[in-house]
Amino acid sequence: MTVSAQPVASHFINGHYVEDTDGALIDVIYAATGQKIAQVHSATPAIIEQALESAKAGQKTWAAMSGTERGRVLRRAADIIRDRNHELSQLETLDTGKPMQETLYVDATSGADALEYFGGLAGSLTGEHIQLGEDWVYTVREPLGVCVGIGAWNYPTQIACWKGAPALACGNAMVFKPSETTPLCALKVAEILHESGLPAGVYNVVQGYGHVGAALVEDARVDKVSLTGSVPTGRKVYAAAAAGMKHVTMELGGKSPLVIFDDADIEDAVGGAILGNFYSSGQVCSNGTRVFVQAGIKEAFLKRLTERLATAVIGDPMEETTSFGPMVSEAQMDIVLGYIAKGKEGGATLTYGGARLDRAGFYLQPTVFSDVTDDMVIAREEIFGPVMAVLDFDSEEEVIQRANATEFGLSAGVFTKDIQCAHRVIGQLEAGSCFINSYNDAPVEAPFGGVKMSGVGRENSKGAIEHYSQMKSVYVRMGKVESPF
Ligand code: NDP
């Protein structure tokens, strides 16, 4: 039996589900059928006010607890998430359309990893002692205060946890606004955190379109904004946060290079390219969508790639045998179809797929264009769908220069058996999250984030602590104060 999609109410504030039917209706559409499965209301100004006030009050209670006590709550939440993984995975599938074959392994589970990891760190967050002769300085690691998290629609559970876990570990409160396309999963995260003993008001979820996010970002009570979204939204949110001198983390889009050298293990390179282009139907920010293939391996690469794509099981995402699901929404499917048309118009060779499937829901074929050149639209813009662009290259110097010729800098990958070449190339690629003979691994222990237009700050790892806390330094004089007059 599948879980019910309809939440108890639209928002989760101060430890409870809250409704305000004055807010505009948001329909939740199941991507696999195109049918409405739930409805929520967008947050009204009264709901936003309630969320910010409860966060402000809840943060004080939470920060007064010891790190170990805070960590215990987060780790308890991780355990509950793992116990309920199956139903949470079903909900993630209903929210996004991603197949259970994925959601059972990477969504709620990666959220639980983040809660467990940052829960474990919470008790060890300390300042330092700096001796200066007989005087000394001590530093105190303090929370920032109220953090706003704004999510994209591709990983709603994971994003709610990746932002919430480090924020809460450091003693902050959070108001999280999911994408209006996928409003369901973050509510469950809030519910489970409170079931685990989180004080009321520390983690709140409000629904709404971009203007709700904008109202949160502009509010003077907010100290930090963490956005996962596109570069244009990032630019707006960063500017609004700057007006209030707020801290930011920006996890934005990409057009990442995946470089495959002649000597690469062909099956691994094809596997990496599949993971980096077709997992979650290509709706992954760090995807290696510009696949640079060295001339000597091109033919073999395209042959194995198309053979393996033909084995993709496209169908009902609730069936665990399904390995490729629909696009999240009709709007996103139309955007991707527009790019496929541009690929054809631009003169690229359509090597595989390229069409919408004749069935209910928002299904596209996995699509590969080869003979793509750097100037083509499909090689320059983020598509955020299952469209791989294969570009040819000859030399190492050439591919490094071409791979870096983009405003983005989220990820990069290299496939080669030559260990020196792998490190030399990765060392010169302008990207934050890189892979050698692998693609798109995102363990919570590793920093994740981009350079250039792909973002500011890092999620996951100990590095995230720096983005959710600040240091107070205290100078302690042991002797007399000497003043000039
Ligand atoms: P959008 O940029 O359209 O939206 C992101 C979030 O910001 C949504 O919740 C959106 O609300 C909200 N928003 C929109 N305008 C504003 C505003 N002015 N002020 C505050 N909030 C606002 O991204 P998508 O949801 O379409 O997600 C896809 C994008 O996310 C891709 O570019 C992808 O690369 C990127 N992404 C980046 C990741 C990373 O970690 N680097 C991971 C996953 C995705 P609403 O939806 O209601 O408009």
Side-chain angles (χ1 to χ4, degrees):
M1 213 192 77
T2 309
V3 290
S4 161
Q6 182 61 46
V8 177
S10 302
H11 319 286
F12 194 98
I13 299 173
N14 210 22
H16 304 286
Y17 276 100
V18 178
E19 192 58 274
D20 182 349
T21 51
D22 283 350
L25 269 179
I26 298 171
D27 288 338
V28 185
I29 307 295
Y30 184 35
T33 60
Q35 305 289 310
K36 183 167 83 177
I37 52 168
Q39 272 188 334
V40 293
H41 291 270
S42 179
T44 55
I47 286 287
I48 294 172
E49 184 60 25
Q50 239 178 294
L52 288 170
E53 274 306 298
S54 72
K56 193 84 191 154
Q59 194 265 327
K60 299 264 180 298
T61 315
W62 183 236
M65 289 165 61
S66 75
T68 304
E69 287 172 315
R70 290 200 299 266
R72 198 174 299 135
V73 173
L74 301 189
R75 286 184 288 110
R76 211 177 282 139
D79 289 343
I80 296 177
I81 288 180
R82 288 209 181 89
D83 286 348
R84 298 191 195 152
N85 183 40
H86 201 270
E87 60 183 277
L88 293 170
S89 301
Q90 283 186 339
L91 193 68
E92 174 92 20
T93 291
L94 290 171
D95 223 1
T96 61
K98 292 184 295 181
M100 287 289 281
Q101 198 183 92
E102 295 187 11
T103 56
L104 277 171
Y105 299 97
V106 301
D107 291 285
T109 54
S110 67
D113 285 353
L115 290 160
E116 185 174 9
Y117 177 83
F118 287 106
L121 280 184
S124 66
L125 303 177
T126 56
E128 57 180 349
H129 168 102
I130 305 156
Q131 194 69 42
L132 299 163
E134 65 171 6
D135 293 353
W136 44 285
V137 169
Y138 67 92
T139 63
V140 185
R141 187 174 286 282
E142 295 186 332
L144 301 174
V146 174
C147 303
V148 161
I150 301 176
W153 40 255
N154 56 347
Y155 281 80
T157 308
Q158 184 185 80
I159 295 172
C161 292
W162 278 17
K163 298 193 189 305
L168 269 45
C170 292
N172 302 286
M174 175 156 274
V175 179
F176 186 81
K177 189 204 83 70
S179 164
E180 98 281 350
T181 309
T182 53
L184 307 177
C185 295
L187 290 169
K188 281 285 164 200
V189 172
E191 195 184 306
I192 289 170
L193 278 165
H194 285 83
E195 195 179 328
S196 308
L198 192 73
V202 179
Y203 190 93
N204 309 278
V205 175
V206 298
Q207 308 294 349
Y209 294 91
H211 70 274
V212 172
L216 290 168
V217 174
E218 284 161 18
D219 195 281
R221 285 164 289 190
V222 171
D223 302 287
K224 149 117 203 182
V225 179
S226 177
L227 169 80
T228 296
S230 62
V231 171
T233 303
R235 227 185 246 121
K236 279 190 248 171
V237 172
Y238 199 173
M245 215 55 85
K246 299 175 204 290
H247 298 254
V248 294
T249 298
M250 295 281 142
E251 292 293 351
L252 309 177
K255 189 75 192 177
S256 300
L258 174 53
V259 181
I260 297 171
F261 284 95
D262 281 344
D263 69 340
D265 179 295
I266 185 86
E267 290 304 320
D268 283 347
V270 169
I274 287 173
L275 281 175
N277 281 271
F278 302 116
Y279 204 74
S280 302
S281 295
Q283 304 165 114
V284 180
C285 51
S286 48
N287 271 356
T289 46
R290 287 183 296 145
V291 182
F292 290 94
V293 182
Q294 206 165 16
I297 200 175
K298 177 184 173 185
E299 216 170 292
F301 174 83
L302 287 176
K303 179 169 178 293
R304 278 305 287 145
L305 176 67
T306 49
E307 283 168 2
R308 285 176 61 173
L309 284 177
T311 68
V313 181
I314 306 177
D316 178 357
M318 285 294 169
E319 293 291 336
E320 286 180 37
T321 46
T322 296
S323 57
F324 187 85
M327 305 301 299
V328 73
S329 64
E330 187 155 23
Q332 189 62 21
M333 182 184 66
D334 289 342
I335 289 171
V336 178
L337 281 169
Y339 277 109
I340 291 172
K342 282 181 191 153
K344 292 179 193 164
E345 285 158 23
T349 305
L350 180 63
T351 300
Y352 194 88
R356 181 178 182 177
L357 292 180
D358 184 19
R359 55 180 294 160
F362 316 126
Y363 286 87
L364 289 180
Q365 291 175 308
T367 298
V368 178
F369 282 105
S370 56
D371 306 313
V372 177
T373 53
D374 298 350
D375 57 328
M376 291 181 188
V377 175
I378 58 165
R380 288 188 284 112
E381 296 181 12
E382 183 183 45
I383 298 174
F384 224 59
V387 181
M388 181 195 292
V390 178
L391 303 98
D392 309 341
F393 79 94
D394 292 309
S395 76
E396 185 180 314
E397 297 69 29
E398 168 208 342
V399 79
I400 291 168
Q401 183 272 321
R402 289 171 59 200
N404 285 336
T406 167
E407 63 170 2
F408 298 108
L410 186 50
S411 290
V414 176
F415 275 86
T416 174
K417 291 200 190 96
D418 179 342
I419 196 78
Q420 278 96 353
C421 166
H423 290 286
R424 199 166 53 230
V425 172
I426 279 293
Q428 294 175 77
L429 291 178
E430 296 162 358
S433 301
C434 298
F435 310 93
I436 292 177
N437 293 330
S438 191
Y439 207 84
N440 263 353
D441 315 73
V444 67
E445 296 86 349
F448 181 80
V451 303
K452 294 157 79 175
M453 294 301 282
S454 290
V456 175
R458 291 292 177 270
E459 295 199 301
N460 291 342
S461 79
K462 289 184 200 141
I465 298 297
E466 298 302 327
H467 301 289
Y468 283 101
S469 61
Q470 57 198 343
M471 294 303 249
K472 171 181 279 174
S473 78
V474 182
Y475 190 103
V476 181
R477 182 175 298 282
M478 301 300 285
K480 302 292 287 173
V481 173
E482 284 178 25
S483 76
F485 48 84

